[in-house]
Short mmCIF file of all heavy atoms in Angstrom, two decimals:
data_model
loop_
_atom_site.label_atom_id
_atom_site.label_comp_id
_atom_site.label_asym_id
_atom_site.label_seq_id
_atom_site.Cartn_x
_atom_site.Cartn_y
_atom_site.Cartn_z
N VAL A 1 -17.46 -50.18 15.20
CA VAL A 1 -18.21 -49.02 15.73
C VAL A 1 -17.34 -47.80 15.77
O VAL A 1 -17.83 -46.67 15.28
CB VAL A 1 -18.76 -49.35 17.16
CG1 VAL A 1 -19.39 -48.08 17.75
CG2 VAL A 1 -19.76 -50.52 17.07
N VAL A 2 -16.11 -47.92 16.18
CA VAL A 2 -15.21 -46.84 16.17
C VAL A 2 -14.97 -46.23 14.77
O VAL A 2 -14.96 -45.09 14.52
CB VAL A 2 -13.86 -47.18 16.84
CG1 VAL A 2 -12.85 -46.11 16.66
CG2 VAL A 2 -14.07 -47.52 18.32
N ARG A 3 -14.78 -47.17 13.81
CA ARG A 3 -14.53 -46.83 12.45
C ARG A 3 -15.77 -46.04 11.86
O ARG A 3 -15.64 -45.05 11.23
CB ARG A 3 -14.23 -47.96 11.57
CG ARG A 3 -13.77 -47.60 10.20
CD ARG A 3 -13.34 -48.80 9.30
NE ARG A 3 -12.13 -49.44 9.96
CZ ARG A 3 -12.08 -50.64 10.41
NH1 ARG A 3 -13.19 -51.37 10.43
NH2 ARG A 3 -10.98 -51.17 10.98
N LEU A 4 -16.97 -46.62 12.20
CA LEU A 4 -18.20 -45.94 11.72
C LEU A 4 -18.39 -44.58 12.32
O LEU A 4 -18.69 -43.60 11.60
CB LEU A 4 -19.36 -46.77 12.04
CG LEU A 4 -20.83 -46.27 11.60
CD1 LEU A 4 -20.86 -46.08 10.15
CD2 LEU A 4 -21.93 -47.17 12.17
N ALA A 5 -18.03 -44.43 13.54
CA ALA A 5 -18.15 -43.14 14.23
C ALA A 5 -17.20 -42.14 13.65
O ALA A 5 -17.51 -40.92 13.47
CB ALA A 5 -17.90 -43.24 15.73
N THR A 6 -15.96 -42.61 13.27
CA THR A 6 -15.03 -41.71 12.63
C THR A 6 -15.50 -41.31 11.24
O THR A 6 -15.28 -40.16 10.89
CB THR A 6 -13.66 -42.44 12.55
OG1 THR A 6 -13.23 -42.98 13.79
CG2 THR A 6 -12.54 -41.49 12.06
N VAL A 7 -16.08 -42.13 10.49
CA VAL A 7 -16.59 -41.89 9.19
C VAL A 7 -17.73 -40.82 9.31
O VAL A 7 -17.71 -39.84 8.56
CB VAL A 7 -17.11 -43.15 8.49
CG1 VAL A 7 -17.79 -42.75 7.13
CG2 VAL A 7 -15.98 -44.11 8.14
N VAL A 8 -18.61 -41.03 10.24
CA VAL A 8 -19.68 -40.02 10.50
C VAL A 8 -19.12 -38.69 10.95
O VAL A 8 -19.55 -37.64 10.36
CB VAL A 8 -20.63 -40.55 11.62
CG1 VAL A 8 -21.66 -39.41 11.92
CG2 VAL A 8 -21.37 -41.77 11.08
N GLY A 9 -18.06 -38.72 11.69
CA GLY A 9 -17.40 -37.43 12.13
C GLY A 9 -16.79 -36.73 10.91
O GLY A 9 -16.85 -35.55 10.73
N ALA A 10 -16.17 -37.52 10.04
CA ALA A 10 -15.46 -36.97 8.80
C ALA A 10 -16.58 -36.38 7.90
O ALA A 10 -16.38 -35.29 7.31
CB ALA A 10 -14.70 -38.05 8.11
N LEU A 11 -17.78 -37.04 7.75
CA LEU A 11 -18.82 -36.57 6.99
C LEU A 11 -19.29 -35.17 7.45
O LEU A 11 -19.64 -34.30 6.61
CB LEU A 11 -20.06 -37.57 7.00
CG LEU A 11 -19.76 -38.83 6.08
CD1 LEU A 11 -20.84 -39.84 6.49
CD2 LEU A 11 -19.68 -38.50 4.64
N GLY A 12 -19.28 -34.93 8.78
CA GLY A 12 -19.80 -33.64 9.31
C GLY A 12 -18.78 -32.57 9.23
O GLY A 12 -19.12 -31.38 9.15
N ILE A 13 -17.48 -32.84 9.16
CA ILE A 13 -16.43 -31.85 9.16
C ILE A 13 -15.76 -31.65 7.79
O ILE A 13 -15.56 -30.53 7.31
CB ILE A 13 -15.30 -32.16 10.22
CG1 ILE A 13 -16.00 -32.27 11.57
CG2 ILE A 13 -14.22 -31.12 10.17
CD1 ILE A 13 -16.66 -30.90 12.11
N VAL A 14 -15.40 -32.82 7.17
CA VAL A 14 -14.54 -32.73 5.96
C VAL A 14 -15.19 -32.31 4.67
O VAL A 14 -14.65 -31.63 3.91
CB VAL A 14 -13.85 -34.10 5.76
CG1 VAL A 14 -13.02 -34.16 4.55
CG2 VAL A 14 -13.00 -34.42 7.00
N PHE A 15 -16.47 -32.80 4.46
CA PHE A 15 -17.13 -32.76 3.22
C PHE A 15 -18.11 -31.58 3.08
O PHE A 15 -18.83 -31.55 2.14
CB PHE A 15 -17.79 -34.11 2.90
CG PHE A 15 -16.86 -35.22 2.82
CD1 PHE A 15 -16.91 -36.19 3.89
CD2 PHE A 15 -15.94 -35.43 1.77
CE1 PHE A 15 -15.99 -37.27 3.87
CE2 PHE A 15 -15.14 -36.49 1.75
CZ PHE A 15 -15.15 -37.46 2.78
N GLY A 16 -18.15 -30.71 4.06
CA GLY A 16 -19.18 -29.68 4.01
C GLY A 16 -19.01 -28.74 2.73
O GLY A 16 -19.98 -28.44 2.07
N ASP A 17 -17.83 -28.34 2.47
CA ASP A 17 -17.57 -27.38 1.30
C ASP A 17 -17.81 -28.10 -0.02
O ASP A 17 -18.65 -27.62 -0.82
CB ASP A 17 -16.09 -26.93 1.39
CG ASP A 17 -15.86 -25.69 0.46
OD1 ASP A 17 -16.90 -25.31 -0.27
OD2 ASP A 17 -14.70 -25.24 0.39
N ILE A 18 -17.22 -29.23 -0.24
CA ILE A 18 -17.39 -29.88 -1.54
C ILE A 18 -18.81 -30.52 -1.67
O ILE A 18 -19.38 -30.53 -2.79
CB ILE A 18 -16.33 -31.03 -1.78
CG1 ILE A 18 -16.24 -31.43 -3.24
CG2 ILE A 18 -16.59 -32.18 -0.76
CD1 ILE A 18 -15.08 -32.27 -3.49
N GLY A 19 -19.42 -30.83 -0.56
CA GLY A 19 -20.74 -31.38 -0.51
C GLY A 19 -21.88 -30.37 -0.82
O GLY A 19 -22.97 -30.72 -1.16
N THR A 20 -21.57 -29.10 -0.68
CA THR A 20 -22.61 -28.02 -0.99
C THR A 20 -22.37 -27.42 -2.33
O THR A 20 -23.10 -26.48 -2.74
CB THR A 20 -22.57 -26.97 0.12
OG1 THR A 20 -21.26 -26.49 0.35
CG2 THR A 20 -23.05 -27.55 1.41
N SER A 21 -21.36 -27.90 -3.04
CA SER A 21 -21.00 -27.29 -4.38
C SER A 21 -22.24 -27.49 -5.39
O SER A 21 -22.45 -26.66 -6.24
CB SER A 21 -19.76 -27.96 -4.96
OG SER A 21 -18.63 -27.61 -4.18
N PRO A 22 -23.05 -28.56 -5.29
CA PRO A 22 -24.14 -28.73 -6.22
C PRO A 22 -25.15 -27.59 -6.09
O PRO A 22 -25.98 -27.35 -7.03
CB PRO A 22 -24.73 -30.00 -5.83
CG PRO A 22 -23.63 -30.83 -5.23
CD PRO A 22 -22.83 -29.80 -4.58
N LEU A 23 -25.08 -26.82 -5.01
CA LEU A 23 -25.96 -25.68 -4.91
C LEU A 23 -25.83 -24.61 -5.93
O LEU A 23 -26.78 -23.99 -6.34
CB LEU A 23 -25.82 -24.98 -3.49
CG LEU A 23 -26.55 -25.55 -2.24
CD1 LEU A 23 -25.97 -24.95 -1.01
CD2 LEU A 23 -28.01 -25.24 -2.39
N TYR A 24 -24.58 -24.41 -6.34
CA TYR A 24 -24.30 -23.26 -7.26
C TYR A 24 -23.57 -23.51 -8.49
O TYR A 24 -23.39 -22.65 -9.39
CB TYR A 24 -23.59 -22.15 -6.45
CG TYR A 24 -22.45 -22.63 -5.58
CD1 TYR A 24 -21.25 -22.93 -6.20
CD2 TYR A 24 -22.59 -22.73 -4.26
CE1 TYR A 24 -20.22 -23.40 -5.45
CE2 TYR A 24 -21.49 -23.22 -3.46
CZ TYR A 24 -20.28 -23.51 -4.05
OH TYR A 24 -19.27 -23.94 -3.34
N THR A 25 -23.05 -24.73 -8.71
CA THR A 25 -22.09 -24.98 -9.82
C THR A 25 -22.84 -24.94 -11.19
O THR A 25 -22.44 -24.07 -12.02
CB THR A 25 -21.47 -26.35 -9.66
OG1 THR A 25 -20.69 -26.39 -8.41
CG2 THR A 25 -20.48 -26.65 -10.80
N LEU A 26 -23.83 -25.74 -11.36
CA LEU A 26 -24.53 -25.67 -12.67
C LEU A 26 -25.27 -24.34 -12.93
O LEU A 26 -25.23 -23.83 -14.02
CB LEU A 26 -25.56 -26.91 -12.78
CG LEU A 26 -24.98 -28.20 -13.31
CD1 LEU A 26 -26.03 -29.25 -13.20
CD2 LEU A 26 -24.49 -28.00 -14.71
N GLN A 27 -25.81 -23.78 -11.87
CA GLN A 27 -26.42 -22.52 -11.99
C GLN A 27 -25.46 -21.44 -12.50
O GLN A 27 -25.81 -20.60 -13.34
CB GLN A 27 -27.07 -22.05 -10.62
CG GLN A 27 -27.65 -20.70 -10.61
CD GLN A 27 -28.20 -20.37 -9.25
OE1 GLN A 27 -28.71 -21.30 -8.44
NE2 GLN A 27 -28.13 -19.12 -8.77
N THR A 28 -24.22 -21.50 -11.95
CA THR A 28 -23.26 -20.50 -12.41
C THR A 28 -22.78 -20.76 -13.83
O THR A 28 -22.59 -19.84 -14.64
CB THR A 28 -21.99 -20.64 -11.47
OG1 THR A 28 -22.44 -20.32 -10.07
CG2 THR A 28 -20.93 -19.65 -11.88
N ILE A 29 -22.67 -22.01 -14.22
CA ILE A 29 -22.17 -22.29 -15.60
C ILE A 29 -23.11 -21.77 -16.66
O ILE A 29 -22.69 -21.18 -17.64
CB ILE A 29 -21.91 -23.83 -15.70
CG1 ILE A 29 -20.83 -24.34 -14.83
CG2 ILE A 29 -21.75 -24.21 -17.19
CD1 ILE A 29 -20.71 -25.90 -14.72
N PHE A 30 -24.42 -22.01 -16.43
CA PHE A 30 -25.39 -21.52 -17.43
C PHE A 30 -26.03 -20.23 -17.11
O PHE A 30 -26.92 -19.86 -17.81
CB PHE A 30 -26.49 -22.66 -17.54
CG PHE A 30 -26.01 -23.93 -18.09
CD1 PHE A 30 -25.90 -25.09 -17.20
CD2 PHE A 30 -25.60 -24.09 -19.37
CE1 PHE A 30 -25.47 -26.25 -17.76
CE2 PHE A 30 -25.18 -25.24 -19.90
CZ PHE A 30 -25.07 -26.38 -19.11
N SER A 31 -25.49 -19.48 -16.22
CA SER A 31 -26.04 -18.13 -15.89
C SER A 31 -25.96 -17.19 -17.01
O SER A 31 -24.79 -17.00 -17.53
CB SER A 31 -25.35 -17.62 -14.64
OG SER A 31 -25.76 -16.26 -14.42
N PRO A 32 -26.95 -16.51 -17.46
CA PRO A 32 -26.81 -15.54 -18.46
C PRO A 32 -26.00 -14.35 -18.12
O PRO A 32 -25.49 -13.62 -19.00
CB PRO A 32 -28.34 -15.08 -18.69
CG PRO A 32 -29.16 -16.14 -18.06
CD PRO A 32 -28.34 -16.67 -16.91
#
């Protein structure tokens, strides 16, 4: 349970930046 809670906490703090990269990466690559 402790390990799962730590993983959930890490998901909320650690991966925000890299996890939102799909928003703009491909759009930027093919942008005219």
